[in-house]
Amino acid sequence: ILNEYKDKVDIEARTIIVPSLLFRKEDVIKVAEIVNDLDARWVIQRFNNMPELVEKNFEHIHPPSTTFLEDLREVCIKRYPKLRIEIK
């Protein structure tokens, strides 16, 4: 469905990088492949462990560093040069 309308709407895909849940480069590259096929803007978002935003199980998980997110972006862009990736 998204491919049908990609010329008519701006599509944004968002992935929250959660250490110990979704953080391995291999996993992020798989997501990059899907987003690349959509021709969408992709936001890689840092996990936020603020107690009012997460379940108790996630409070002990620390957000990934900006450097780590930038490294993920670089790995994905090397494989899929047309990706439009934003880090938040």
Side-chain angles (χ1 to χ4, degrees):
I1 292 176
L2 291 176
N3 281 325
E4 279 182 50
Y5 295 100
K6 70 181 178 184
D7 295 333
K8 298 175 184 168
V9 296
D10 188 26
I11 300 169
E12 177 182 291
R14 186 174 293 258
T15 304
I16 299 175
I17 304 301
V18 182
S20 77
L21 187 61
L22 175 63
F23 68 100
R24 294 181 339 162
K25 288 181 183 177
E26 298 81 15
D27 297 332
V28 175
I29 288 171
K30 288 178 186 176
V31 176
E33 180 181 4
I34 295 167
V35 174
N36 188 60
D37 289 343
L38 296 175
D39 188 31
R41 178 178 58 246
W42 185 23
V43 177
I44 297 176
Q45 184 171 332
R46 176 188 336 271
F47 169 73
N48 187 336
N49 65 350
M50 293 173 52
E52 61 271 11
L53 298 178
V54 299
E55 292 183 25
K56 296 280 184 212
N57 300 352
F58 293 100
E59 286 181 353
H60 70 283
I61 299 174
H62 297 290
S65 69
T66 300
T67 302
F68 180 75
L69 297 177
E70 289 170 351
D71 288 346
L72 287 177
R73 177 176 55 194
E74 291 306 313
V75 166
C76 292
I77 288 176
K78 282 182 184 176
R79 186 164 289 197
Y80 303 103
K82 293 182 181 181
L83 274 176
R84 295 176 289 146
I85 303 174
E86 182 179 334
I87 295 175
K88 289 205 176 190

